[in-house]
Amino acid sequence: MARGVAGPEIERLIQLLARLPGLGPRSARRAALALMQKREGLLVPLAEAMRIAAERVVVCSTCGNVDTSDPCAVCADPSRDPSIIVVVEDVSDLWALERAGALHARYHVLGGVLSALDGIGPDQLTIAGLLARAQDPAVREVIVALGATVDGQTTAHYLTEALASLPVSVTRLAHGVPVGGELDYLDEGTLSAALKRRTAV
Amino acid sequence: MARGVAGPEIERLIQLLARLPGLGPRSARRAALALMQKREGLLVPLAEAMRIAAERVVVCSTCGNVDTSDPCAVCADPSRDPSIIVVVEDVSDLWALERAGALHARYHVLGGVLSALDGIGPDQLTIAGLLARAQDPAVREVIVALGATVDGQTTAHYLTEALASLPVSVTRLAHGVPVGGELDYLDEGTLSAALKRRTAV
């Protein structure tokens, strides 16, 4: 923004908003303007919600989820199946699986995947914590729910090896056609996997 | 989000973020997660920037710009040409013109355009304030910088009539091909206007 249009307080607000994922410099300006024009309805409550989040949000020391309590609501929920740990790359994946609502188990957030290119080795991830949790006799299955990328699959392989000595079965998500997906838009790898694992109607 | 994944404080943060222009429910969740994972670097400073904005931001009683002072930095700037008032629909248009940096004049934010459909008449806009400002003998030109929509043009026409009795010239923005624009993508109206107002090379 040109100097002199708005005070430094507004420019700082725009700069910080532009660092949110999904907002660029132009949409951050629009967002700042919307905030200032809806002072009571949006700016004040959002500032307050952020202050509260900054005060209370903690990372769960068990699974790595973010929540307002430690252990998090997922780890503290006694109704969840204690025999299954679902390993995910990031908290957003945990939330996505929870929205799907297909499983009522516990999670383990790795905090990334192994990557020789980015210099991410086992020590940068929470693999040691996962191995410690998997030694609990109650745990019978570890579902490796990582992305179907090269790094994701390398990490899945590493975890399978690391867990091999424990009496847990290691499983991974099925490959196939996304529900609602059109065949036309799918890559060959997905189509091959879907054909190979075809099921009786 | 499914119940039990995150506390009500986090859900509230997501709901408020989703009300920002440019963020939907899904990107608001991603933004909330990014905020919580960058607590010191982003969440705390953004909460503080919003608190400061909520405390200090005011609408300029002269031109309708939003700033941290009244009169705003634009109206208070003595180096600006006092003989020109640029009439815009919204504060975002004022900022856009300032970014272009083509003019060092003053502005007047109408707060909308006349619209029979939406029931917006002259009293809902800051037209009375504009007429009062235009009576200042220093003002020589009013540039009506409204959008080239039906309502924008109706409003421009209304303003021209209202200002007719005053010794000011009323002008509007030129129509033509946007700089960097491809002819192929332009509508017939723009192309006709650009042809009619062609200039010697």
Side-chain angles (χ1 to χ4, degrees):
Chain A
M1 195 165 47
R3 197 167 53 85
V5 186
E9 297 91 342
I10 298 177
E11 284 203 41
R12 179 156 169 77
L13 178 62
I14 295 170
Q15 276 167 16
L16 286 167
L17 283 171
R19 287 172 50 195
L20 288 176
L23 286 184
R26 188 173 286 260
S27 46
R29 225 157 25 220
R30 276 176 51 219
L33 208 50
L35 281 168
M36 292 185 292
Q37 289 178 328
K38 295 176 195 157
R39 193 184 169 283
E40 297 307 321
L42 191 52
L43 178 54
V44 172
L46 187 53
E48 181 63 8
M50 283 190 183
R51 194 189 59 75
I52 291 173
E55 219 166 67
R56 300 199 196 153
V57 163
V58 284
V59 172
C60 176
S61 57
T62 305
C63 75
N65 188 14
V66 291
D67 200 354
T68 45
S69 58
D70 180 19
C72 71
V74 173
C75 285
D77 181 353
S79 74
R80 285 176 184 261
D81 185 350
S83 72
I84 302 179
I85 297 178
V86 185
V87 180
V88 291
E89 179 175 342
D90 202 3
V91 177
S92 56
D93 302 325
L94 188 164
W95 288 10
L97 286 167
E98 278 297 301
R99 283 199 304 280
L103 205 70
H104 204 60
R106 304 237 159 89
Y107 294 88
H108 193 84
V109 179
L110 279 188
V113 284
L114 296 174
S115 168
L117 213 63
D118 299 335
I120 301 197
D123 295 344
Q124 269 90 59
L125 307 177
T126 62
I127 292 178
L130 173 65
L131 296 180
R133 288 180 70 191
Q135 300 203 336
D136 183 333
V139 177
R140 312 271 279 276
E141 181 178 359
V142 173
I143 304 177
V144 181
L146 299 176
T149 59
V150 172
D151 286 345
Q153 295 310 300
T154 305
T155 310
H157 188 77
Y158 181 92
L159 291 179
T160 310
E161 297 277 303
L163 290 162
S165 62
L166 296 176
V168 294
S169 58
V170 182
T171 55
R172 65 170 178 77
L173 299 182
H175 287 307
V177 179
V179 176
E182 293 189 57
L183 293 195
D184 208 14
Y185 291 94
L186 287 174
D187 63 294
E188 292 78 9
T190 303
L191 285 175
S192 302
L195 266 177
K196 208 185 288 175
R197 292 176 186 77
R198 65 192 178 277
T199 54
V201 181
Chain B
M1 197 164 46
R3 194 168 56 85
V5 187
E9 297 92 342
I10 297 177
E11 285 202 40
R12 178 156 170 77
L13 179 61
I14 295 170
Q15 275 166 17
L16 287 167
L17 283 170
R19 288 171 52 196
L20 288 177
L23 285 184
R26 190 174 283 259
S27 45
R29 228 162 17 224
R30 274 175 53 219
L33 206 52
L35 281 168
M36 293 185 291
Q37 290 179 327
K38 294 175 197 159
R39 192 182 169 284
E40 296 308 320
L42 190 52
L43 178 54
V44 172
L46 187 54
E48 180 64 8
M50 285 192 182
R51 192 188 61 74
I52 291 173
E55 219 166 69
R56 302 199 195 153
V57 163
V58 285
V59 172
C60 176
S61 57
T62 306
C63 76
N65 188 14
V66 292
D67 201 355
T68 45
S69 58
D70 180 16
C72 71
V74 173
C75 286
D77 181 353
S79 74
R80 285 177 185 262
D81 184 349
S83 72
I84 302 179
I85 297 178
V86 185
V87 179
V88 290
E89 179 176 342
D90 201 4
V91 177
S92 55
D93 302 325
L94 188 164
W95 288 10
L97 285 167
E98 277 297 303
R99 281 199 303 281
L103 205 70
H104 204 59
R106 302 238 158 88
Y107 294 88
H108 193 84
V109 179
L110 279 188
V113 284
L114 297 174
S115 168
L117 212 64
D118 299 335
I120 301 198
D123 294 343
Q124 270 89 58
L125 306 178
T126 62
I127 292 177
L130 173 65
L131 297 180
R133 288 179 71 190
Q135 300 203 336
D136 182 333
V139 176
R140 313 269 280 275
E141 181 179 0
V142 172
I143 304 177
V144 181
L146 299 176
T149 59
V150 173
D151 286 345
Q153 295 311 299
T154 306
T155 310
H157 189 75
Y158 181 92
L159 292 179
T160 310
E161 296 278 301
L163 290 163
S165 62
L166 296 175
V168 293
S169 58
V170 182
T171 55
R172 64 169 179 77
L173 299 182
H175 287 307
V177 179
V179 176
E182 293 189 57
L183 292 195
D184 207 13
Y185 291 94
L186 286 174
D187 62 296
E188 292 79 7
T190 304
L191 285 175
S192 303
L195 267 177
K196 209 186 288 175
R197 292 176 185 80
R198 64 191 179 278
T199 53
V201 180

